[in-house]
Amino acid sequence: RIGSASHLSAGLQQQLEKYKPSYSSVHGIVQVLSVDDEEVNQIVLEEILSSAGYLFVRAMDAFEAQEILDQQDSLPDLMLVDSMMPGMSGQELCSLLRRSLPSTVLPIIMVSAKIDELNIVSGLNSGSNDFLRKPYNRLELLARINAQLRVRNECWWVAELAGNTATGSEPAAAAAAAPAAPAGAGDTPAYMSTALRLLTSVLPEGVLARMQKARTSGEGREG
């Protein structure tokens, strides 16, 4: 077994810091990794998720989960982690992974039969994206998974737009979806890309101002 509550394996640390691609982006199917020491819970989850079209992978404890993350060529699209497990708790595993993987790269839903306020707060503070009670309600489970995948995809979309803005590139998909420049944007600089026009149309002015300030500051440092 690799890993402990205080450190990741050297291989896992090096690979995950580079942000492996998601499983779905490589293999074309959404993979959900379930970490739970109870066999019955794993069987129930596998039936629900497999029938909904997800690729289900199980780990019976936090250490096996780390082995899977270490060995796969891609990251699971989402993890379901039981909060109470022997050896290393779900909260400890989540805190450990968050040192290398932000919530927008690997969504984690903490699950537990213990749904008192303290346990929920502890799970969320450890870095999980959401908290789900057991036994599972099929519709709620699928809805929460879909919600986290949607948020992740939207974050990636905005990040890609921001990256395109910084480089001045304009992917065909972004160009095709780009709206006209917003009203009152007659003084928009010529260098403004399609991506930035998209961001201008959806982001608050304060966020845009900070982005522009960061860009200006970066150009100043390069000069």
Side-chain angles (χ1 to χ4, degrees):
R1 288 182 172 182
I2 64 171
S4 70
S6 60
H7 67 280
L8 292 167
S9 71
L12 182 61
Q13 182 74 30
Q14 292 174 359
Q15 292 182 47
L16 296 190
E17 282 182 344
K18 299 177 182 178
Y19 297 162
K20 293 180 183 179
S22 67
Y23 190 92
S24 60
S25 68
V26 175
H27 302 283
I29 184 172
V30 174
Q31 183 191 69
V32 176
L33 172 60
S34 170
V35 189
D36 195 321
D37 61 314
E38 292 289 340
E39 179 71 19
V40 173
N41 293 332
Q42 297 281 29
I43 292 173
V44 170
L45 272 177
E46 183 171 15
E47 190 281 324
I48 294 175
L49 297 182
S50 296
S51 65
Y54 294 109
L55 177 63
F56 179 83
V57 177
R58 70 174 65 185
M60 300 307 294
D61 57 34
F63 304 103
E64 186 179 359
Q66 290 185 67
E67 291 176 352
I68 292 172
L69 292 172
D70 198 10
Q71 295 167 5
Q72 281 196 169
D73 63 352
S74 53
L75 290 172
D77 290 274
L78 181 139
M79 289 177 65
L80 294 167
V81 178
D82 184 29
S83 66
M84 302 179 67
M85 295 184 292
M88 182 189 297
S89 69
Q91 287 91 336
E92 290 174 321
L93 174 62
C94 190
S95 296
L96 188 61
L97 294 178
R98 285 294 177 249
R99 297 179 187 177
S100 299
L101 294 165
S103 59
T104 51
V105 172
L106 178 59
I108 298 175
I109 299 179
M110 194 75 63
V111 298
S112 180
K114 187 178 179 182
I115 55 172
D116 60 280
E117 181 180 356
L118 183 61
N119 196 40
I120 294 174
V121 170
S122 175
L124 294 174
N125 285 341
S126 70
S128 67
N129 299 63
D130 198 0
F131 198 98
L132 184 63
R133 63 181 178 178
K134 295 191 292 185
Y136 299 109
N137 176 288
R138 184 179 188 277
L139 294 179
E140 181 184 8
L141 170 65
L142 295 177
R144 289 183 183 272
I145 289 175
N146 288 336
Q148 291 304 323
L149 293 175
R150 184 171 62 249
V151 169
R152 183 204 61 177
N153 292 341
E154 290 173 353
C155 288
W156 286 5
W157 179 78
V158 171
E160 182 179 2
L161 288 180
N164 293 333
T165 297
T167 60
S169 61
E170 298 187 24
D187 58 345
T188 300
Y191 63 76
M192 180 176 282
S193 68
T194 301
L196 185 53
R197 290 201 299 273
L198 272 170
L199 289 175
T200 303
S201 69
V202 299
L203 293 180
E205 292 183 3
V207 174
L208 292 171
R210 289 196 295 274
M211 288 178 62
Q212 183 59 38
K213 181 178 180 180
R215 176 173 180 161
T216 303
S217 174
E219 291 174 349
R221 288 193 297 271
E222 291 175 3

